[in-house]
Amino acid sequence: MNDRRKVDLTRGVKGRFIRDRLMTVVFTGAGWVAILFIALIFVFTFREALPIFTEAEVAKEANLHEFFVQKVEGETIEQQYIWQPVGDVPKFSFIPLILGTLKATFVGLLFACPIGVAAALFSSEFAPPKLREWIKPVIELLAGIPSVVLGFFALLVLASWLQNMFGFTYRLNAWNAGLALGIALLPVVFTISEDGMSSVPRHYREGSLALGASRFQTAWKVVLPAALPAVFASFVLAFGRAIGETMILLMAGGNAAITSFSLSDPLRTLSATIAAELGEVVFGDPHYSALFFMGTLLFVMTFVSNSVGQWVVGRMQRRMQGES
Amino acid sequence: MKRVLTLALLLAAACGGDRRETPAGAAAPSGGSNKAITIKGSDTMVILGQRFAEEYMKNNPGVVVQVNGGGSGTGIAALINGTVDLAQSSRPMKDGEKADVEKKRNAKLNETPVALDALAVFVNSGNKVQELTLDQLAQVYTGKITNWNQIGGANAPIVLYGRENSSGTYEYFKEHVLAKADFAPRTQTLQGTAAVINAVSRDVNGIGYGGIAYAQGVRPIGVKKDAAAAAVEPTEANVANGTYPIARNLYFYWISTASPQLQQFVRWATSPEGQKMVENVGYFPLPETTRTSTQ
């Protein structure tokens, strides 16, 4: 051991240099792996959906026209756009599913965004320091509840409670699913908004208070606008999460693929459809390719919403700093 | 250079191997190890399958039987794709599916009924409707009849509960009651008969369908073949003598290249010992003539 006269590669100036390069490669590699995962997921999902465009036998039943435009005999839109992939004449319209996804997302955001922002405002501006110290971890605990538990709770307890209070015809409807979804989105909105509000520089608040504004006026008219990029970013993240949420909507939404704008009707989302039906399809079926196309659609929707959100947030931040 | 490398990596991954061929090829010898028998399929039959498994494993130590649900469609797809050698199904396989199995698995398909079931229609215990004709049922579930007072109940909207389209019960109901028409889009689809029963028991205006073994907290209604016939309750006697209009077999589908342990298990299920399990769960055993003797 001591006889060896080899250069110890991890010591000395040369060693430091090599260590540095090694860690750079490791971190860069890790970053690239993350990007590669996302790209590969998209590639593989889209590859399974490709027969819609390349194979005639599959395209006969499952094609873009069928997904987005095809109408069946009927007087109301509820009768015209149908998703019933199993039967003699399979019907693959995505319209009821897209509508269901949007309805649930809308109710979820309606619940989570105002309450989340208000809670964040309270936590960063009005709460005494002791309270603030445990409010944040408690709300973040809400994020730790598995979505299947939330869905179960909504299915058994929340649905009956809502039906007793509002007299819905359908026990499982968009309000029920959206409310449960809102509970899942609340921590997302809260955490990011609260972070944004806490990082508003102190001199903003001090200046406002010095000019005679009340604490509420300061919070509402100075801190909140200053934190708007973060608040909006939290909304975008919540939207992305809501679009992709599967388990809550599968259990609490009633799973009826209806083309209806009413929030008291049951709904079925894209993600719930994939979760429920992918187990039974045979490889190469039109149904199989349609479900994978649905997955690609979800991926693209989330990607686009995140990108648009980031762009808007970037613009807001630049405007806040007076650059544009 | 980095960009080219990444792009090349992506393309290579995308072109790598046609996945479609591998599952069937890899699973061709047997769906699992020699000692483990894997069964997949009908949610209606999943409890029955588990009882079979428990009793069989008690009597035959060293054999492991695993039972999964997912719906008859899932089980049949798994049989075609090569993931299992035995599928439970609450509906008969279609000709196209049978041809698929024999082609992709290179083996003969065997169909073994293991129990009889009455497809019961359930309403909430507080609902005063006692019986419906098959035609009325079809109209309710295709959305043509929407209020209970059109079929002898109170003035309230009918809330439809059904099964996912992977379910054999769904397909059987669609074929034999709806005459292949589409379910109304308002039918709320639930996972498993137990979930349907749960929903109907909590909803005074609900109606649902499922295997008779699950009836807890709801009331099965009598079904009339037509307006003139008498209402028939879903009981064992009525299924055995054929008067209940929507009775069905519950099947095991297995391939001829399955392991001898699996074939032994199937024989056991149709023997008097196995059939005792059927009664245990709440379904109806096969008529004496179609049972096998224990080996």
Side-chain angles (χ1 to χ4, degrees), chain B residues 117-140:
Chain B
D117 179 25
L119 184 51
V121 178
F122 302 105
V123 296
N124 189 280
S125 330
N127 195 321
K128 51 183 183 157
V129 172
Q130 302 276 5
E131 54 191 40
L132 289 173
T133 64
L134 279 178
D135 184 59
Q136 280 174 320
L137 265 181
Q139 293 202 36
V140 165

Side-chain angles (χ1 to χ4, degrees), chain B residues 223-225 229-233 235-247:
Chain B
V223 179
K224 311 192 320 188
K225 222 175 9 192
V232 185
E233 298 283 329
T235 62
E236 177 171 354
N238 290 337
V239 167
N241 63 29
T243 51
Y244 189 69
I246 33 179

Side-chain angles (χ1 to χ4, degrees), chain A residues 26-245:
Chain A
V26 168
F27 285 131
T28 316
W32 275 109
V33 164
I35 297 177
L36 204 67
F37 270 158
I38 297 175
L40 283 180
I41 289 175
F42 177 77
V43 166
F44 280 125
T45 316
F46 189 66
R47 198 182 72 144
E48 297 304 321
L50 218 49
I52 292 175
F53 303 109
T54 55
E55 272 178 48
E57 228 186 79
V58 169
K60 207 165 32 158
E61 285 178 355
N63 48 62
L64 289 180
H65 178 91
E66 176 77 36
F67 294 158
F68 298 111
V69 179
Q70 182 71 296
K71 279 203 271 211
V72 178
E73 276 278 333
E75 292 133 22
T76 63
I77 48 168
E78 186 176 317
Q79 293 168 342
Q80 287 173 341
Y81 295 104
I82 307 265
W83 168 265
Q84 274 223 14
V86 176
D88 277 345
V89 181
K91 298 175 184 62
F92 288 111
S93 176
F94 281 14
I95 303 289
L97 307 175
I98 295 178
L99 213 51
T101 312
L102 291 177
K103 276 198 295 187
T105 308
F106 173 71
V107 177
L109 289 177
L110 193 67
F111 177 77
C113 293
I115 298 185
V117 171
L121 211 55
F122 172 74
S123 169
S124 75
E125 298 306 306
F126 300 105
K130 283 242 158 117
L131 192 63
R132 186 180 317 148
E133 257 177 39
W134 65 261
I135 244 187
K136 206 159 189 267
V138 165
I139 295 194
E140 278 164 13
L141 212 68
L142 212 63
I145 301 183
S147 39
V148 67
V149 172
L150 278 173
F152 196 64
F153 165 73
L155 173 66
L156 294 185
V157 178
L158 196 60
S160 301
W161 189 68
L162 284 177
Q163 197 179 34
N164 289 337
M165 210 154 74
F166 297 108
F168 291 129
T169 315
Y170 297 100
R171 214 176 139 258
L172 302 175
N173 52 42
W175 286 113
N176 183 35
L179 213 58
L181 184 61
I183 298 177
L185 298 178
L186 192 62
V188 174
V189 175
F190 172 83
T191 308
I192 299 176
S193 302
E194 210 270 349
D195 279 344
M197 287 169 195
S198 303
S199 29
V200 168
R202 276 185 65 186
H203 57 261
Y204 280 45
R205 293 187 190 83
E206 288 169 354
S208 166
L209 290 170
L211 288 173
S214 71
R215 276 181 74 187
F216 177 71
Q217 281 174 324
T218 308
W220 185 247
K221 297 199 174 195
V222 176
V223 175
L224 185 56
L228 216 52
V231 168
F232 190 75
S234 77
F235 288 177
V236 171
L237 221 70
F239 179 81
R241 166 88 197 263
I243 294 265
E245 180 58 55

Side-chain angles (χ1 to χ4, degrees), chain B residues 79-254:
Chain B
L79 187 64
I80 296 175
N81 293 336
T83 336
V84 293
D85 284 346
L86 175 61
Q88 302 188 108
S89 177
S90 60
R91 63 162 172 89
M93 272 177 82
K94 304 192 194 121
D95 291 330
E97 291 170 337
K98 290 185 181 170
D100 265 341
V101 170
E102 303 205 326
K103 189 169 67 146
K104 285 202 183 162
R105 302 298 300 274
N106 256 328
K108 190 163 128 18
L109 175 71
N110 294 304
E111 171 184 290
T112 310
V114 294
L116 292 172
D117 179 25
L119 184 51
V121 178
F122 302 105
V123 296
N124 189 280
S125 330
N127 195 321
K128 51 183 183 157
V129 172
Q130 302 276 5
E131 54 191 40
L132 289 173
T133 64
L134 279 178
D135 184 59
Q136 280 174 320
L137 265 181
Q139 293 202 36
V140 165
Y141 265 99
T142 49
K144 299 204 179 67
I145 293 182
T146 51
N147 197 305
W148 280 108
N149 63 13
Q150 293 169 289
I151 42 176
N155 180 5
I158 303 180
V159 180
L160 300 168
Y161 293 101
R163 297 285 307 279
E164 280 288 346
N165 57 32
S166 59
S167 156
T169 312
Y170 167 99
E171 290 242 32
Y172 186 85
F173 196 85
K174 194 173 200 191
E175 191 171 319
H176 290 152
V177 179
L178 303 186
K180 305 206 180 183
D182 282 341
F183 278 93
R186 287 193 174 252
T187 316
Q188 299 185 31
T189 63
L190 301 171
Q191 313 277 14
T193 308
V196 174
I197 303 287
N198 184 13
V200 174
S201 69
R202 287 166 189 276
D203 189 346
V204 112
N205 299 324
I207 184 172
Y209 58 86
I212 187 67
Y214 289 86
Q216 304 271 9
V218 291
R219 192 166 40 83
I221 58 175
V223 179
K224 311 192 320 188
K225 222 175 9 192
D226 51 52
V232 185
E233 298 283 329
T235 62
E236 177 171 354
N238 290 337
V239 167
N241 63 29
T243 51
Y244 189 69
I246 33 179
R248 56 183 181 162
N249 283 333
L250 299 176
Y251 297 99
F252 272 359
Y253 282 102
W254 48 283

